Amino acid sequence: MFLINCPFCGEREQSEFKAGGEAHIVRPKQPTELSDDEWAEYLFMRKNIKGVQFERWNHVHGCRKWFNMVRDTSNDQIKAVYKMGEKPPVK
Amino acid sequence: MSNNLRFKTSKFIDETYRVSFKFNNKTYFGFKGDTLASALLANGIHLVGRSFKYHRPRGIMTSGSEEPNAIIQLHDNSSRTEPNVRATEVEIYEGLVASSQNCWPSVNFDIGGINNLLSPILPAGFYYKTFMWPASFWEKYEYFIRKSAGLGKSPKVADPDIYEHKYIHCDVLVIGAGISGIMAAKMAAKNGFKTLLVDEKSYLGGSSIYDNSEFSKINNQIISSWLEKEINEISKLENLEIKTRTSVAAFHGYNFLLARENLTDHLPINQRENKVRQRLLKIRAKKVITATGSIERPLIFDNNDRPGIMLSSAIKRYIDLYGVACGENNILFTNNDTAYETAMSLIQRGIKINAIIDNREQIDSKISYEVEKNNIKIYKGYTVVDTYGYRRINKISIMKLSKDGQTVIGDKTKLNCDCLGVSGGWTPAVHLFTQSGGKLKFREEDQVFIPNVYPSDQISIGSCNGDFGLEEIIKNTLSSIKKFLDIDNSEYKTVETISGLNQSKRNIWLLPSDKSIGKTKSFVDYQNDATAKDIKLALREGFRSIEHVKRYTTTGMGTDQGKLGNMHALGIISETAGTKMGEHGTTTFRPPYTPLTFGTIVGRNVGEFFDIFRRTPIHDWHVANNAEFENVGQWKRAWYYPKDNENMHQAVQRESKAARDSAGILDASTLGKIDIQGTDASEFLNRVYTNAWSKLAIGKCRYGLMLNEDGMVYDDGVTTRLGENHYIMTTTTGGAANVLGKLEDYLQTEWPELDVYLSSVTDHFATISVCGPNSKKIVSKVVPDLDLSDEKFPHMSFKNSKIDNIKCRIMRISFTGEHSYEINIQANFGKSVWEKCMEAGKDFNITPYGTETMHLLRAEKGFIIVGQDTDATLTPIDLQMDWIVSKKKYDFIGKRSLYRSDTIREDRKQLVGLLTENPEEVLEEGAQIVADIKKSPIEMLGHVTSSYYSPNLKKSIALGVVKGGKNMLGQKLIIPMENKNINVTVADPVFLDKEGERLNAKL
Ligand SMILES: [Zn+2]
């Protein structure tokens, strides 16, 4: 079980958190302008990387804040956590 | 007790404290300090069970948690009964009751033993090959397989014991209290680390604590004396917590470990009252030191499973620690030096050793010379080729090994014995390391897998790290702990060691026989009866990966996870396939290391705490008034209120009729309520609901539908505008938490610029819904100050008011199609206001109704229930709710998806009403809907989502989803059931009062 460093609360057990899929997918500002394919790309297409992955997490049983995490899915090492809207601190 | 088997020389046994216990209905005696295994052995009992597949007699093989054979049922026929317990781990106490499992009618005469004779037709994969066809027969096969296999019996009644969970945070966790574990714990604690030391045994020191050999010494003291002083020293350290009888079950990522602490299992039953039996420790350690030692390997030869055949190290433990001789005429069979330590322990007590069979041609160690000096015959370069004796070994035959060790040569010699100790060298106990995600490497010289890459801040030391020699263990423990903890002071000055052992070994995974492999039974996995022959067969049949071979042969799949034989399985595979060890992978060891009881896993979460439920503030009234309850999410909701001898149908019919004829009352407190405030609250609602919100006047209510971004209906409910920047949203009961989460998600991640604040207030309010033609009269009595006239208080509006000076919010909204009010009041006044309503409605036959009637009433009106009539595949258009989807709004969640090529298809499943040809016939919810039953295969058009008998319409009504149903009004369809076809007609989903006359009637 991970030990996750919530950017608002500090280190907490993984059981307090909920994973929320791939990070940095911005909801299109003008969905109606998009073709079916473009909308489907936003709606359905997600990466599933073996290696370093950018993810959304929610401290659901804590401060309830969403934040981002960089995690290596091959060994579950968390490389960084950072607030929504911030740039990833690692590549 | 046969006295000649007990040597009263051990300080671990209290000879003044006799303990009686029952095994297979016979009473025996042992001493305090005995395990069930040591006590049985002291009574001359080896045969304790039968094997899983062939029902071969099996005895005690080991002295620890790796035991594959001596698996017993504890406390048979009592509420504490527990199957699959290792006799080698059970500490005896007065009154213990145990019995063999997997045998019938008795361990000495077992009918299943016929499987042993049938073994030529029970090869690897037998179950797969035989019982797969015809598939429909599996149920019948299973009955017999389960009956004859049966690994123990599960308890029939509730467990009377108490269990609990405990969190532990420490700087350093040391697992295993052998020499290196003790040293590591001392170094850590003395250097200021908050340290926890755990060991699965009841004592500290591991197998070194009874090592009284003159041949191995630390600082010129015999090992046990040196270690005792060390233990004495660390037990006084403040920084160190020590837990014995504590077995680490799982080692997860980020140094999170689970351990089971046994607190009362060694006590007589009458001393366990009100005590916690087992505790699950949830340990989060900054650093983990694994010192779990190693497990002796058996040797794989024909008939290597008879009772009386044991690990050589177990024989040593039984005599040194428990003072028990496992046999009176022993033979040791080895490929390395450690068996000679066992020999010395036996020799010192004058216990007869008939011979030692050693695979090696050359033996050159002090200890072996000493054994030879005692006139013990050593057969060098020999192997055991067969054993004899049904319920206990009585003979072996041996032959000389060829130079390459692949065949046997010369004549066969038979030797008598009643106990055969085997030693195939040692396997590092890397289970926890691999569980944590660690990667192993194979060390060619002595054929062991050892830790290589650590996934977290941890280290393995001692023999679990592949250090077997005494000098190596101590030297490496000192240096690696210093480095690991980054400390200068090791707390040890020079530690000098002498060892009489030499590390030479002649490793042969499968020992050759004079018989062909097909005629041998050389067991690799004792518990699951997997033999070398089975493994070779699997390879011949094309299996290569160890994970596949494992599943096919069941090697390593027993409750012991193949702690003894997995290495041999790997060895035989690579030898047979001509590949390198490790090339086929190593099997994954999964938690728990040894089985855990369910009690330990659930801890205190039993009974009403197993899955906690939520009660509304009016719950007690429902209970007092005979309500039946339904689980909705975690809520207990009143389902219906049977009167006299009513069944559910009768109660629901009565409640439904009363609600429309006069007045009904419903506890709607479980509806989710989200308080929404902020200057952008209206804009926010515009974005999350499909309809428009900016123009909703203060004091008005509006029904809203919420979609997922994929356009599918997610939730619905009425939202009320309380003020300029203040709304209260209601959600479905089950959807409340998810809706809040979804709204927070959008606010935080997509629209952080919006000034909106959300708070869940579900539990803050009790919600009472009063409906029916007399609802107005009733509510006017409860809230006399409020003007209920249609002009002042029209449908879909809201008023602040007071009941007995307590503020309340009243909405005029309806989920039944009747004139109705929803009273929201501070939760703790809920019950009294409910009672007030009941009192006020007495003259109007006010009838409390539950969720079932609520569902029926709304179905009459064709109102959907999200989650019952929808299942995340339906858009509002599919639900014929186009009216609620704003055409004008530029965007809202899910809007773009409503005109994807897939969502605009005409033949999507769409919500329709269904009327049965026979109005008395009520459809089954979930039943399939078809048009043509002659065509094969029959095309499934949809299914029934809601179905009731309506007492108000006096006919059966149903809702369903049907492909292209929107354009099928009036069309006949068929519901095929098991023994009949039901004819239905597609109808408008609004069955009652489509014009809304009831809702708008002047009351
Ligand atoms: Zn937080």
Side-chain angles (χ1 to χ4, degrees), chain B residues 354-647:
Chain B
N354 198 1
I356 294 180
I357 321 297
D358 199 319
N359 286 170
R360 298 172 295 179
E361 291 284 351
Q362 307 282 334
I363 311 159
D364 180 25
S365 59
K366 266 196 214 154
I367 195 158
S368 64
Y369 295 133
E370 184 67 21
V371 169
E372 257 181 322
K373 259 195 246 162
N374 281 280
N375 295 321
I376 309 287
K377 166 83 177 156
I378 302 176
Y379 290 87
K380 296 178 189 171
Y382 273 78
T383 182
V384 176
V385 290
D386 205 351
T387 69
Y388 310 88
Y390 186 60
R391 294 190 184 98
R392 170 94 179 251
I393 189 169
N394 57 30
K395 233 189 270 53
I396 61 169
S397 54
I398 61 169
M399 288 176 84
K400 184 103 178 120
L401 279 165
S402 65
K403 219 172 184 151
D404 65 0
Q406 295 302 301
T407 51
V408 281
I409 46 179
D411 296 329
K412 214 187 274 191
T413 309
K414 286 198 176 178
L415 301 167
N416 291 326
C417 66
D418 61 358
C419 181
L420 176 68
V422 294
S423 175
W426 296 80
T427 298
V430 293
H431 310 70
L432 294 175
F433 167 78
T434 58
Q435 275 182 23
S436 77
K439 298 275 177 289
L440 298 167
K441 70 174 175 216
F442 189 66
R443 191 166 68 193
E444 204 63 50
E445 309 96 86
D446 56 349
Q447 305 277 299
V448 291
F449 282 103
I450 53 171
N452 189 25
V453 183
Y454 294 99
S456 62
D457 199 359
Q458 55 162 300
I459 194 171
S460 293
I461 54 168
S463 63
C464 74
N465 191 41
D467 295 341
F468 295 116
L470 183 61
E471 191 188 344
E472 220 185 342
I473 289 173
I474 289 182
K475 209 177 71 196
N476 293 349
T477 295
L478 284 172
S479 63
S480 46
I481 294 299
K482 265 175 88 171
K483 200 170 146 214
F484 179 61
L485 298 179
D486 193 20
I487 50 176
D488 295 328
N489 185 1
S490 74
E491 302 300 327
Y492 289 93
K493 295 190 189 93
T494 51
V495 186
E496 306 239 319
T497 57
I498 317 167
S499 174
L501 271 67
N502 178 319
Q503 293 302 315
S504 89
K505 180 163 103 177
R506 185 183 190 187
N507 198 78
I508 304 169
W509 293 114
L510 172 59
L511 290 157
S513 165
D514 55 329
K515 290 186 223 157
S516 72
I517 177 93
K519 296 223 162 72
T520 62
K521 273 202 202 80
S522 310
F523 289 90
V524 175
D525 183 311
Y526 299 85
Q527 193 174 98
N528 272 351
D529 274 345
T531 63
K533 179 174 66 182
D534 293 329
I535 292 170
K536 288 187 175 241
L537 175 70
L539 286 164
R540 276 208 306 282
E541 293 187 358
F543 292 89
R544 284 296 176 272
S545 156
I546 177 64
E547 292 293 348
H548 293 155
V549 173
K550 171 179 163 179
R551 277 157 187 79
Y552 193 57
T553 61
T554 71
T555 304
M557 289 180 68
T559 57
D560 62 336
Q561 291 193 52
K563 290 188 180 79
L564 294 186
N566 273 352
M567 281 302 293
H568 305 81
L570 284 170
I572 291 167
I573 290 168
S574 66
E575 266 176 11
T576 310
T579 50
K580 275 199 168 137
M581 277 294 273
E583 212 170 278
H584 298 265
T586 53
T587 57
T588 319
F589 296 104
R590 293 192 173 80
Y593 177 67
T594 52
L596 290 176
T597 59
F598 282 113
T600 312
I601 294 166
V602 298
R604 300 267 178 172
N605 299 324
V606 291
E608 65 171 309
F609 303 114
F610 178 67
D611 189 12
I612 52 157
F613 58 83
R614 299 167 81 181
R615 300 174 176 92
T616 77
I618 309 163
H619 185 86
D620 291 348
W621 189 94
H622 305 317
V623 173
N625 286 272
N626 204 26
E628 292 290 330
F629 288 89
E630 169 179 44
N631 295 330
V632 184
Q634 280 181 312
W635 288 101
K636 289 272 172 206
R637 292 199 73 176
W639 194 10
Y640 58 97
Y641 301 81
K643 265 190 178 171
D644 307 321
N645 292 320
E646 279 179 341
N647 61 24

Side-chain angles (χ1 to χ4, degrees), chain B residues 764-830:
Chain B
H764 302 203
F765 292 97
T767 304
I768 299 163
S769 172
V770 182
C771 79
N774 286 316
S775 59
K776 189 171 177 177
K777 291 178 193 139
I778 295 165
V779 172
S780 69
K781 281 208 232 170
V782 178
V783 201
D785 300 343
L786 194 61
D787 182 350
L788 297 182
S789 68
D790 286 343
E791 297 70 41
K792 284 279 162 59
F793 197 9
H795 181 55
M796 295 309 266
S797 62
F798 138 85
K799 290 276 181 262
N800 277 313
S801 189
K802 279 185 176 177
I803 300 173
D804 290 345
N805 234 5
I806 307 300
K807 280 195 263 182
C808 64
R809 291 172 179 166
I810 301 182
M811 281 87 168
R812 203 183 139 193
I813 51 177
S814 174
F815 192 41
T816 59
E818 296 296 323
H819 189 108
S820 62
Y821 300 90
E822 213 176 87
I823 303 170
N824 287 278
I825 190 145
Q826 197 179 312
N828 45 341
F829 296 104

Side-chain angles (χ1 to χ4, degrees), chain B residues 105-124:
Chain B
S106 82
V107 71
N108 284 304
F109 175 76
D110 175 31
I111 282 180
I114 195 136
N115 283 0
N116 189 30
L117 306 174
L118 294 176
S119 66
I121 63 159
L122 288 172

Side-chain angles (χ1 to χ4, degrees), chain A residues 6 8-9 59 62-63:
Chain A
C6 170
F8 304 93
C9 308
H59 194 185
C63 64

Side-chain angles (χ1 to χ4, degrees), chain A residues 27 36 56 64 66 76, chain B residues 254 709 744-745 748 896:
Chain A
R27 187 176 189 271
D36 268 11
R56 282 154 35 92
R64 289 190 72 85
W66 283 90
D76 281 340
Chain B
Y254 289 74
E709 206 66 273
E744 286 177 330
D745 187 349
Q748 289 178 32
R896 175 62 186 84

